[in-house]
Amino acid sequence: MSAATQKVRVDSEFARLRTVVVSRSEFHAPDNIELLGHRMPVEPNAVAILDAVWGKTFGEVYPDKQRAWEAERDELADVLRRHGVDVLRPRLFTADEKAAAGPVGYANFFVRDPWFTVGENVIEGVLQFPHRRHEVQTSRDLLLQRVMPAAAHYVSLPQPGIGNPGPGPFLEGGDVLVLGTQVFVGLSGMASNALGYHWLAKFLQPQGFNVTPVRLPEHVLHLDCAMSLVREGLVIVCPDRLPDGLPAPVRDWEQIEVSEDEAAAMATNGLPIDSETYITDPQFERVGKQLQSRGITVEYIDFSVSRLFGGAFRCTTQPLLRIE
């Protein structure tokens, strides 16, 4: 099927994954913590590791970890291909783009956040952390090749106001979970904000979507760091990260609960390939066994380097086609 005739659509978090973008592994830290804006959430054991990279690329400080990081993403791509998924990869930053980033630094490591797909809509968001605001550039060629020829809408949020971080609007894909015409948007103040949520609700409402805000504690970056929709009627959730409980449309679903410590290590950031297959890290074997006891096949991939940066399998992927 040619790019011009391919569909672009995401029906839910667990509809069969057919086309997906898998992240690269590029990170140049800002020159100092003041340029970061606010503290970047990382896996709890990673603070000292990442504190060593201010003003440097991760690879120049930790070449062995850099190679392992790239291998993790390559293994994920291989597993997805084995399941029949069409895997795309963003390009790397160009030398000019790296130079233009200046002291703020750059990141090209979690494709979930700079753009996202809801129904037949591909939306370029706006990220709070300055070093991530140009991350969409490395996916832009893919979007032009795959989305522009398709019937899907392709839109972008307004540019944020001036400041660090400024008023926004901010809207990041890690905060956006899709369940048919129900869309949940996490709001902690660290990533998506109320203005971003209202923009999305206004854009999607004429298409029949119901967009629901989900309050998060201020230390939780994204909604997918608090809950994962595994299949219809089943959710992995960290109750401590949802002060108002699960959103109403999924409140009666069966829950596999994880602790705050497990969620901080990314226990909710797995990836359904479909409603019967789920990818997670062997670190979360306890969760995997609970999934297996419910008839779900679990694929384990060691993602220990990726998790240092506060994300895992969902953060590393962005679907263009998820349909039954």
Side-chain angles (χ1 to χ4, degrees), residues 38 135 157:
H38 44 226
E135 196 164 354
L157 263 73

Side-chain angles (χ1 to χ4, degrees), residues 139-201:
S139 292
R140 187 79 50 72
D141 291 346
L142 292 176
L143 299 179
L144 294 177
Q145 293 164 11
R146 293 294 185 114
V147 182
M148 289 296 285
H153 300 100
Y154 179 17
V155 299
S156 176
L157 263 73
Q159 289 295 303
I162 301 300
N164 190 4
F170 298 114
L171 188 62
E172 307 191 6
D175 274 319
V176 180
L177 271 63
V178 181
L179 180 64
T181 57
Q182 300 288 334
V183 178
F184 308 121
V185 177
L187 296 174
S188 70
M190 193 182 295
S192 304
N193 68 356
L195 189 56
Y197 152 71
H198 286 298
W199 182 94
L200 186 64

Side-chain angles (χ1 to χ4, degrees), residues 25-102:
S25 303
E26 289 187 290
F27 177 52
H28 189 293
D31 280 2
N32 55 63
I33 195 169
E34 286 74 24
L35 292 172
L36 194 61
H38 44 226
R39 183 73 189 186
M40 183 170 65
V42 296
E43 201 275 333
N45 297 323
V47 175
I49 292 175
L50 294 182
D51 274 348
V53 302
W54 295 117
K56 302 179 179 69
T57 66
F58 184 74
E60 69 182 294
V61 180
Y62 300 108
D64 291 344
K65 284 185 170 62
Q66 177 68 34
R67 286 189 288 271
W69 192 21
E70 294 171 7
E72 288 175 3
R73 270 68 192 282
D74 290 344
E75 183 179 1
L76 174 60
D78 288 343
V79 168
L80 291 169
R81 291 188 186 104
R82 175 159 52 81
H83 283 272
V85 181
D86 180 20
V87 176
L88 311 172
R89 306 296 297 271
R91 63 169 173 80
L92 299 175
F93 277 119
T94 66
D96 286 344
E97 288 167 341
K98 292 177 181 180

Side-chain angles (χ1 to χ4, degrees), residues 22-25 58 64-81 89 109-110 279 281-282 300-309 311-313 316-317:
V22 173
S23 298
R24 296 290 189 173
S25 303
F58 184 74
D64 291 344
K65 284 185 170 62
Q66 177 68 34
R67 286 189 288 271
W69 192 21
E70 294 171 7
E72 288 175 3
R73 270 68 192 282
D74 290 344
E75 183 179 1
L76 174 60
D78 288 343
V79 168
L80 291 169
R81 291 188 186 104
R89 306 296 297 271
F109 56 25
F110 286 136
I279 300 176
D281 192 297
Y300 289 108
I301 301 174
D302 183 342
F303 239 48
S304 54
V305 182
S306 298
R307 290 191 294 109
L308 294 176
F309 295 88
F313 301 99
T316 298
T317 54

